[in-house]
Amino acid sequence: MNKELITAFIDNEIRDDSLKEEIRHLIDTDKEYWFEYQVQLLVKRIAKEKYKKSSAPGHLKIRILNQIAPDQKIYEPHKETSIWAGLFSKPAFSFATAILIVVSIVLILFNRTPQQPPEISEEQLTPDNMFYQAENNFEAIVQGKLSPQFLTGDPEKIKSFFESSGVKYSALVPTFAEWSLIGAVVSEDKEEKFAHHVYAGKKGEIVYVFQVDESYLKSREIISLNDNLLQYLEQGNCFVKTEKDKVLLFKKINHNICAVVSNAPVQEVQNNFCNI
């Protein structure tokens, strides 16, 4: 249920009786929806009781004009432009009204449910799963069963190698101070080509990167990824999981979903890839 419907419910804009009943049921039974309803109801009540129509203040007019024509700065002489002065001034808001709004904002911030990383179970890791493939490919590299097809430390040459080998999407090949780029591999599955590249650290660490354009994961015809993990990444989060002597990291970068598997220190891997 989209929480924006609560606003429409409060404003009596919903005409579907069954939808009304569903929203009312959620408010009555779900603590998070009940809280959202109470906060929106409070803010609406405050606005209705305290706010009065008035002409736009001078400092607001000046700000709008400056945004429209930034090259021609317009100044309003001898006017107080503090946001707090505007908030607590009359007739728009009383001091008590402003305090109620501030408290409402604080309550919203502190009661917001933090987004937790999704759990990935073994049952979900089928052979076409990107998580499963990335972990298996890393193990093959460490055991010497999988070697780069193209050896170079030049990221531009690796990008050209991907393109000339039939990879249809643009691949990201960053460089890092801790690790040296050593080469790349192009795999094929159902006549589609996928990009992989590898770094090596001074202490023998291996950093393996497998990236796929998100469209492949959404079509699910060749390769897949857990729905909850894909949604988590699309919201800008960085997924990190440690397993024994390795770390697995997923991050969406531009239109690509990047899987990183490494035996380097987890903080090192996280700092480098989560901040791209």
Side-chain angles (χ1 to χ4, degrees):
M1 174 70 70
N2 191 330
K3 289 184 182 178
E4 291 180 1
L5 287 174
I6 294 179
T7 304
F9 179 78
I10 292 173
D11 293 338
N12 200 26
E13 295 175 350
I14 297 176
R15 298 292 177 261
D16 188 329
D17 291 337
S18 63
L19 182 57
K20 280 185 181 179
E21 287 301 318
E22 186 178 353
I23 295 171
R24 168 57 67 184
H25 177 72
L26 276 173
I27 293 170
D28 292 340
T29 59
D30 189 298
K31 183 178 179 181
E32 189 172 344
Y33 281 93
W34 176 86
F35 179 81
E36 185 78 17
Y37 172 75
Q38 294 298 329
V39 168
Q40 290 197 34
L41 201 61
L42 172 63
V43 172
K44 182 177 176 65
R45 188 181 301 126
I46 290 171
K48 184 177 180 181
E49 292 178 357
K50 301 293 183 181
Y51 184 74
K52 298 179 181 179
K53 290 184 179 180
S54 61
S55 60
H59 66 84
L60 179 59
K61 294 177 183 178
I62 299 299
R63 185 188 306 167
I64 294 171
L65 288 172
N66 283 330
Q67 289 176 344
I68 295 172
D71 295 334
Q72 300 178 11
K73 285 292 181 183
I74 303 169
Y75 298 94
E76 182 182 17
H78 312 299
K79 291 289 184 179
E80 175 59 68
T81 58
S82 164
I83 185 172
W84 293 108
L87 179 61
F88 291 101
S89 64
K90 291 185 177 182
F93 292 101
S94 67
F95 181 82
T97 301
I99 290 296
L100 280 173
I101 291 176
V102 171
V103 170
S104 297
I105 293 170
V106 170
L107 285 172
I108 292 170
L109 292 175
F110 278 90
N111 283 273
R112 184 176 295 165
T113 304
Q115 192 170 22
Q116 297 297 323
E119 292 290 335
I120 307 297
S121 65
E122 292 294 328
E123 294 77 15
Q124 296 173 312
L125 301 182
T126 53
D128 66 335
N129 189 286
M130 187 179 180
F131 195 105
Y132 173 90
Q133 292 185 11
E135 193 169 12
N136 279 9
N137 290 344
F138 173 77
E139 293 299 335
I141 292 171
V142 171
Q143 295 169 15
K145 298 177 182 178
L146 179 63
S147 300
Q149 298 167 330
F150 182 67
L151 296 172
T152 181
D154 187 333
E156 293 305 318
K157 289 182 179 178
I158 287 183
K159 290 179 184 178
S160 297
F161 168 69
F162 288 149
E163 186 176 354
S164 63
S165 298
V167 176
K168 296 178 182 178
Y169 50 91
S170 177
L172 179 78
V173 186
T175 56
F176 303 101
E178 298 88 343
W179 315 310
S180 299
L181 187 61
I182 61 173
V185 177
V186 170
S187 64
E188 182 175 345
D189 191 352
K190 296 180 182 177
E191 299 183 353
E192 290 289 344
K193 305 293 182 66
F194 297 105
H196 315 251
H197 65 277
V198 183
Y199 303 87
K202 296 177 181 179
K203 297 180 181 179
E205 314 97 301
I206 295 294
V207 181
Y208 161 72
V209 181
F210 175 22
Q211 55 189 307
V212 173
D213 186 277
E214 61 182 338
S215 61
Y216 289 94
L217 298 169
K218 291 179 178 178
S219 69
R220 297 177 178 276
E221 294 176 358
I222 302 171
I223 188 168
S224 67
L225 192 63
N226 314 66
D227 288 335
N228 52 354
L229 177 53
L230 189 58
Q231 183 180 10
Y232 184 75
L233 299 176
E234 287 182 335
Q235 292 171 348
N237 298 299
C238 189
F239 175 87
V240 181
K241 182 180 181 181
T242 55
E243 289 186 0
K244 296 180 182 178
D245 56 349
K246 65 178 178 285
V247 55
L248 297 96
L249 181 148
F250 274 77
K251 174 76 185 291
K252 182 178 179 182
I253 305 173
N254 298 329
H255 294 289
N256 290 356
I257 301 297
C258 295
V260 181
V261 190
S262 177
N263 52 11
V266 59
Q267 199 61 48
E268 202 171 272
V269 176
Q270 187 170 340
N271 289 343
N272 280 317
F273 284 96
C274 288
N275 295 321
I276 293 178

